[in-house]
């Protein structure tokens, strides 16, 4: 075990050698407390330095004061132990029950501190975090190791200042500590769930952790420099470049959501963040450190809730038009009232089955039928629009496998096309029909929608209505595909291209 505090004279010499308080104004340790607070999910993080009766805060996050009395400090006990210390619930620890920081406004309940140990083995201060809620389980092993690495980093920074003052042989030891801290950082970064990256001051990317290469599937080194931008969705690249250039020019934190290409070829939404690391003496940016966090499921969940809400509103608004169209179909095909009524009931039932494909299911409400066939889904969707002996919507080409992930956007998309064709297109008269084609090259699926013998159509003006937005949302944003339209004289021609990996999680045969 290291010396608790060392003899008073020896400890005073070591403290004077560091001149730690003289470096506070440079913000040399600010990133340490910011990262400690984030790592441990704590409202307060501090780098403390005990000098006699006073405990100084060399860097602080979440607290305004810059010093306290040593006799009231938690850190004095961590220094006495010379090792990591936790207080899971200060109200149950006899040492702190009457402590003013427990009973007062600061309301401390949890404490975790890692001592700052000098090369002489003297404990000088801590990197510590405080919380207003007890933590019976304490910090996780990952957080404890992170706090230890941050303590090493803090001592390395303080060691730099000591070396610059002493200009002695201790410089080599301090540099070795920095190199060791950097190595530990890489080890820590490779175990983090986020993708971690770093750049030179000019934005040249020269480091990615293992998670980046695992996520993207690219060979190491291929995204160095400016190669990272090619991993973004084409629609996001200009926006990401503009935000990154702004951060490089201004020094502002970098934060943006964009779609990043996954190793399976799809694009997933991630949250990119970066902060600059500054030279403690000059304030110049020496590096940028950033992370990418996969937020795809959260993003889609928000979009899905929104689109379902809009879809319900849209369907309610148009339900009378849909029902009127179905009645017209039945009346033209079968003039006898009773058969028409029977036929109409069957169509309404089929429409209900198609709607069941659209809505999200819980484990209890999910249909028992296997719904992994694209043609099967289309048959359910198009059955309300068919006539006996005359399929108004004809599906051509091979079948493709789908799953619950793609069924919802596909159902929304083709139901919207069929509804529009019923109201305005080829299915609004007796002669028109629609051909749906399915094709695949093993990588991309191409789904065609071609209307024939319908009334003359023309391209809509402006950005299009909710139906057009729904098609774009389903094909482009949810399945990562493209939509091409052609407004031919006798009907709409539309092609949708989506990656096969967006239709099913199972690999193509």
């Amino acid at each position: 075990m290291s010396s608790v505090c060392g003899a008073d004279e020896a400890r005073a010499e070591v403290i004077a050698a560091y001149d730690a308080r003289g470096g506070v104004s440079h913000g040399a340790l600010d990133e340490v407390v910011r990262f400690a607070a984030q790592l441990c999910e704590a409202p307060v993080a501090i780098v403390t330095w005990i000098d006699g009766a006073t405990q100084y805060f060399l860097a602080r996050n979440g607290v305004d004061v810059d010093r306290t009395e040593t006799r009231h400090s938690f850190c004095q006990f961590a220094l006495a132990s010379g090792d990591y210390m936790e207080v899971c619930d200060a109200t149950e620890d006899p040492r702190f029950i009457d402590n003013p920081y427990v009973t007062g406004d600061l309301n401390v309940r949890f404490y975790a501190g890692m001592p700052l140990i000098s090369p002489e083995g003297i404990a000088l201060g801590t990197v510590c975090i405080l919380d207003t809620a007890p933590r019976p389980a304490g910090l996780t092993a990952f957080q404890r190791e992170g706090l230890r690495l941050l303590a090493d980093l803090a001592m390395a920074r303080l060691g730099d200042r000591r070396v610059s003052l002493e200009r002695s042989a201790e410089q080599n030891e301090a540099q070795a500590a920095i190199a060791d801290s950097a190595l530990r950082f890489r080890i820590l970064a490779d175990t983090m769930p986020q993708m971690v990256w770093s750049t030179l001051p000019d934005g040249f990317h020269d480091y990615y952790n293992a998670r980046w290469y695992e996520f993207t599937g690219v060979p190491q080194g291929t995204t160095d420099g400016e190669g990272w931008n090619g991993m973004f969705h084409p629609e996001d690249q200009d926006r990401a470049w503009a935000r990154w250039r702004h951060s490089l020019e201004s020094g502002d934190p970098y934060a943006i959501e964009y779609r990043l290409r996954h190793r399976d070829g799809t694009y997933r939404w991630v949250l990119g963040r970066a902060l600059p690391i500054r030279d403690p003496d000059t304030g110049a940016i020496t590096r940028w450190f950033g992370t990418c966090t996969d937020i795809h499921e959260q993003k889609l969940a928000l979009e899905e809730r929104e689109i379902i809400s809009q879809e319900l509103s849209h369907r309610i608004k148009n339900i009378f038009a849909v029902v009127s169209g179905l009645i017209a179909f039945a009346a033209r095909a079968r003039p006898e009232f009773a058969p028409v009524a029977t036929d109409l009931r069957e169509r309404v039932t089929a429409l209900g089955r198609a709607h069941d494909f659209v809505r999200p299911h819980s484990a209890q409400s999910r249909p028992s039928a296997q719904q992994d066939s694209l043609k099967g889904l289309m048959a359910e969707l198009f059955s309300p629009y068919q006539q006996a002996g005359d399929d108004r919507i004809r599906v051509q080409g091979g079948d493709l496998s789908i799953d619950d992930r793609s069924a919802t956007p596909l159902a929304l998309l083709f139901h919207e096309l069929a509804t529009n064709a019923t109201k305005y297109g080829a299915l609004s008269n007796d002669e028109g029909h629609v051909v749906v084609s399915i094709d695949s090259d093993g990588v991309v699926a191409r789904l065609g929608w071609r209307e024939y013998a319908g009334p003359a159509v023309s391209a809509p003006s402006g950005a299009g209505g909710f139906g057009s937005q729904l098609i774009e949302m389903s094909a482009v944003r949810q399945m990562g595909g493209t939509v091409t339209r052609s407004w031919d004289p006798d009907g709409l021609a539309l092609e949708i291209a989506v990656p096969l990996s967006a239709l099913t999680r199972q690999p193509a045969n």
Side-chain angles (χ1 to χ4, degrees), residues 260-337:
L260 184 64
R261 189 168 70 237
H262 191 259
R263 61 179 177 272
D264 64 6
T266 61
Y267 287 90
R268 295 181 64 84
W269 281 100
V270 302
L271 171 62
R273 288 177 171 171
L275 290 172
I277 303 299
R278 297 183 181 273
D279 182 272
D281 295 320
T282 67
I285 295 175
T286 58
R287 290 199 71 82
W288 286 84
F289 280 96
T291 61
C292 298
T293 305
D294 190 336
I295 59 169
H296 194 71
E297 275 69 32
Q298 299 95 309
K299 187 82 171 179
L300 292 188
L302 290 173
E303 291 180 351
E304 186 177 10
R305 283 198 293 269
E306 180 65 21
I307 195 63
I308 289 175
S309 176
Q310 293 185 27
E311 171 65 4
L312 288 173
S313 176
H314 181 63
R315 294 296 168 227
I316 292 171
K317 179 180 178 181
N318 291 308
I319 191 167
F320 290 109
V322 173
V323 171
S324 297
L326 293 175
I327 293 173
F329 273 133
R332 287 195 295 268
R334 300 183 183 184
E336 300 85 357
F337 177 79

Side-chain angles (χ1 to χ4, degrees), residues 484-503:
T484 304
R485 294 180 178 85
S486 176
W487 302 92
D488 296 337
D490 62 340
L492 170 67
L494 180 144
E495 182 180 86
I496 302 159
V498 298
L500 281 177
S501 58
L503 296 182

